[in-house]
Amino acid sequence: MVLEYLEEMLSGVMFERVKKINNSRFHAFLCKAIRLCEPSSVFVSTGSSEDYEYVRRKALESGEELPARIPGHTVHFDSPLDQARARGDTFILTDEKLPFINTKPRREGLDEVIGLLKGSMRGREMLVGLYSLGPKKSPFQVLAVQVTDSYYVLHSENILYRGAYDEFVRLGEDASFLKFIHSQGVLDEHGGSKNIDKRRIYIDPASETVYSVNTQYGGNSIGLKKLSLRLTMIRALREGWLAEHMCVIGVEGKRGPLYFTGAYPSASGKTSTCMIEKIIGDDIAFIRAFDGEARVVNPEIGIFGIIDGINAKDDPRIWDVLNKPGEVIFSNVLLGEDGEVFWNGSGKAIPARGRNYLGDWWPGKKDEKGNILPASHPNARFTVPLSSLPNLDPRYDDPEGVVVNAIIYGVRDSANVVPLVEAFNWIHGVVTIGASMETERTNAVLGKPGELEFNPFANLDFMSINLGVYIMNHIMFGRRLRSPPKIYGVNYFLSENGKYLTSKEDKKVWLKWIARRVEEEVEAVTTPIGYIPFYSDLKKLFREVLSKEYDVEAYKKQFTVKLDKYAEKAQRILKIYSEIPETPAEVFITLEEQMSRLRRCMQEYGPHLNPLILQ
Ligand code: SPV
Ligand code: MN
């Protein structure tokens, strides 16, 4: 029945491609998607270079992408109301209530989104992409199928993920896979999704399917990116591993390469951290325990990064990729009349005229209220393959992954959090650093930037399970490791009177200190919140790494532990978790211990601990 229907709906060539995959669930899914969306034709990509080229060409022909001056570069625009992840329109379909997560009763949500997708691809081609999250033929591999009517979305996924048509063929009925259905919906005269009020991104864990409609912005439409993270997080919980919003980087130690993962809220220094030494991934990490060791892979093979502020001096490697021939999709930048691509903070000359997500643009253009309109959106992005980067780590596609030596949690906190601290142990790090993250909101999500938000593990936006259960999974994961990775907290944004107290390049030193700690080359100062660096070690590292003198006054300002503020924070976090019944007891015990250490220290030293007193 299913195959007959597919044979009727697909061209001969496409039907052959589908038939070669001997998987009844794949056939049933495709059948369901076609019945629902009613496309006029279907293209199934095998991941061959011809198929990739077809999608690139159609992205241009359809106007979803425009050519830029440099060969291989294209520009895509999203609607002005569709420039970031739409938290308010994203729901997990479940009848349970989950703290901090938008949920919707499953039946109600399915009926609504299926109603919106009904007939959404009439007159359009349906595109089907088959991918692997993680290295192929590896224990980390998670297969996925994307269905979309956007050439831009499939083009992006062809850059960002490993094509796995061959794996579907090889595994046949054994292939289990995540499913993504996306439609741009009705388009306006600029080619943007028109019915943004009907934008819906619904994640259905029960069937491992995500539905996304009336949106184009990558974070809402590229299923394998953050939409898949909601699903893999659930698999990870079931199977005892971790699916995290983390970069994976290589840092040279004294005895060879070390690997760290890092969770940072969007737009808080993650990408630049990846560019310091070696990169394996910039956004998502799958971490599994094998023989008592934590090992990690990047499910992706490309970057969908924020372009705002990227300039030749601070980001030479990315700058180079964005200014030389090669495959790059820019989104929501300014496309100059002569094909030049411009974004804010680039230091490039502004084109006299051009086009951006708002339509025609020229310097000084104002909106109806008289506000000057920016050339590019603060959440404008670039999509590139990791293979374009000169610092791609040779083991980025290792089927066994690499050992995780350290885990970093980074926040954006201008007022209180020290630039660098090491947790006493796994549970202390999970609870007082990862689970306690508070960070200032940025332009990567819709909402007012600058407000301090609770964002545990930089993963709250992508959470699909109860936060208490998620933490329990972390604690249990640590118990399965012989020597768990050390855990660090960083903050690149500490300021005084509106000026940053650390410079952009200081993070190079922080990474090296972490490497020295992992290799047990340096001691550290014990404080109530964890271990912080000795001044003398940092002074040495500043010389070695940056050829810079590190002033003792700078150290004192940066590493003064505001005991009172940390105690208030622990109290706030305690309150949050006390309202989540599933929170493991370890969370309360660890936070209470932290608070009593802070109180004892305050009795001795007052509200602020000068770190120089202890060394
Ligand atoms: C982020 O905002 O964290 C991103 C981009 O990595 S998005 O896909 O929009 O989530
Ligand atoms: Mn991200």
Side-chain angles (χ1 to χ4, degrees), residues 332-602:
N332 305 317
V333 294
L334 177 71
L335 178 61
E337 264 177 336
D338 54 356
E340 204 56 48
V341 172
F342 176 87
W343 59 92
N344 290 330
S346 59
K348 292 187 180 196
I350 305 190
R353 275 196 95 83
R355 181 175 163 191
N356 70 9
Y357 66 100
L358 296 159
D360 288 334
W361 186 90
W362 54 93
K365 184 182 179 187
K366 295 190 177 119
D367 65 10
E368 298 97 64
K369 293 192 195 121
N371 302 315
I372 299 262
L373 292 166
S376 64
H377 191 275
N379 193 35
R381 300 244 169 189
F382 62 92
T383 302
V384 296
L386 278 168
S387 58
S388 293
L389 294 171
N391 59 324
L392 181 59
D393 191 90
R395 294 183 63 190
Y396 82 98
D397 198 32
D398 193 325
E400 291 176 7
V402 295
V403 172
V404 183
N405 299 108
I407 295 179
I408 302 170
Y409 293 103
V411 291
R412 177 184 275 267
D413 182 326
S414 53
N416 298 319
V417 172
V418 293
L420 177 60
V421 64
E422 179 186 303
F424 295 125
N425 55 48
W426 177 261
I427 290 189
H428 181 248
V430 167
V431 174
T432 72
I433 303 182
S436 300
M437 286 171 71
E438 292 177 316
T439 193
E440 286 154 25
R441 190 186 298 135
T442 66
N443 288 306
V445 288
L446 301 173
K448 190 162 165 258
E451 286 172 3
L452 207 61
E453 296 188 312
F454 174 59
N455 189 355
F457 306 92
N459 216 354
L460 192 65
D461 276 355
F462 315 112
M463 205 59 83
S464 55
I465 58 179
N466 182 295
L467 181 54
V469 174
Y470 172 96
I471 294 174
M472 193 63 218
N473 188 40
H474 268 69
I475 294 174
M476 308 268 279
F477 186 79
R479 292 206 180 112
R480 295 174 40 210
L481 304 174
R482 250 192 328 272
S483 87
K486 286 182 190 285
I487 296 182
Y488 296 84
V490 300
N491 174 21
Y492 301 152
F493 302 92
L494 192 63
S495 313
E496 197 181 59
N497 305 324
K499 266 193 68 191
Y500 290 126
L501 287 178
T502 53
S503 81
K504 276 192 177 182
E505 54 187 11
D506 293 358
K507 45 174 100 71
K508 296 183 184 172
V509 174
W510 308 157
L511 289 186
K512 274 295 188 246
W513 185 76
I514 295 173
R516 297 288 181 271
R517 288 291 295 164
V518 167
E519 294 190 319
E520 298 182 2
E521 294 274 334
V522 294
E523 301 283 326
V525 184
T526 306
T527 79
I529 58 165
Y531 304 116
I532 61 169
F534 273 104
Y535 170 66
S536 53
D537 291 323
L538 289 185
K539 188 177 164 69
K540 210 166 134 221
L541 283 174
F542 266 86
R543 277 209 194 124
E544 267 173 45
V545 179
L546 300 176
S547 310
K548 242 168 75 170
E549 284 310 309
Y550 183 52
D551 186 69
V552 71
E553 278 308 307
Y555 172 81
K556 189 177 150 196
K557 268 196 183 153
Q558 293 163 2
F559 286 93
T560 288
V561 183
K562 294 180 183 155
L563 304 164
D564 51 347
K565 299 294 176 193
Y566 271 99
E568 284 166 24
K569 175 176 166 164
Q571 196 65 55
R572 277 197 300 279
I573 301 295
L574 200 66
K575 178 159 182 303
I576 292 174
Y577 285 105
S578 65
E579 284 160 16
I580 304 175
E582 292 79 2
T583 303
E586 287 88 340
V587 171
F588 302 111
I589 298 166
T590 310
L591 286 169
E592 294 285 1
E593 285 170 358
Q594 178 110 330
M595 279 197 285
S596 43
R597 277 192 305 271
L598 287 162
R599 274 195 297 266
R600 275 199 307 275
C601 194
M602 267 190 281

Side-chain angles (χ1 to χ4, degrees), residues 85 217-220 225-226 245 266 270 283 304 381 444 462:
R85 273 187 280 114
Y217 170 68
N220 302 325
K225 200 156 199 28
K226 295 312 202 327
H245 186 209
S266 315
K270 187 159 58 138
D283 199 35
F304 174 58
R381 300 244 169 189
F462 315 112

Side-chain angles (χ1 to χ4, degrees), residues 72-209:
H73 292 198
T74 59
V75 176
H76 165 81
F77 295 118
D78 299 304
S79 143
L81 298 171
D82 195 28
Q83 293 286 316
R85 273 187 280 114
R87 279 181 176 166
D89 298 327
T90 306
F91 288 83
I92 307 284
L93 301 184
T94 170
D95 300 334
E96 255 181 274
K97 283 270 165 273
L98 296 169
F100 297 103
I101 304 174
N102 288 334
T103 60
K104 211 176 248 306
R106 178 163 190 260
R107 199 59 261 167
E108 180 192 324
L110 283 178
D111 286 348
E112 185 192 359
V113 78
I114 284 170
L116 290 170
L117 279 162
K118 185 71 197 151
S120 57
M121 299 188 189
R122 275 179 211 157
R124 293 187 194 155
E125 182 161 56
M126 173 186 278
L127 312 170
V128 183
L130 300 106
Y131 302 97
S132 165
L133 292 166
K136 285 158 73 170
K137 298 197 179 78
S138 113
F140 289 91
Q141 169 170 289
V142 174
L143 295 174
V145 178
Q146 174 80 57
V147 166
T148 177
D149 58 6
S150 162
Y151 295 104
Y152 159 70
V153 166
L154 213 73
H155 183 195
S156 300
E157 290 189 325
N158 287 345
I159 296 174
L160 294 169
Y161 304 99
R162 297 158 174 94
Y165 176 81
D166 54 348
E167 278 296 276
F168 278 82
V169 171
R170 181 177 74 88
L171 290 165
E173 205 57 66
D174 291 337
S176 97
F177 51 92
L178 312 177
K179 303 175 269 300
F180 304 93
I181 302 185
H182 165 255
S183 171
Q184 311 176 68
V186 178
L187 300 178
D188 63 20
E189 68 275 21
H190 304 292
S193 290
K194 185 173 172 187
N195 299 321
I196 300 293
D197 57 325
K198 295 201 179 71
R199 174 175 56 200
R200 300 287 183 274
I201 301 124
Y202 285 0
I203 296 136
D204 181 33
S207 66
E208 294 196 309
T209 307

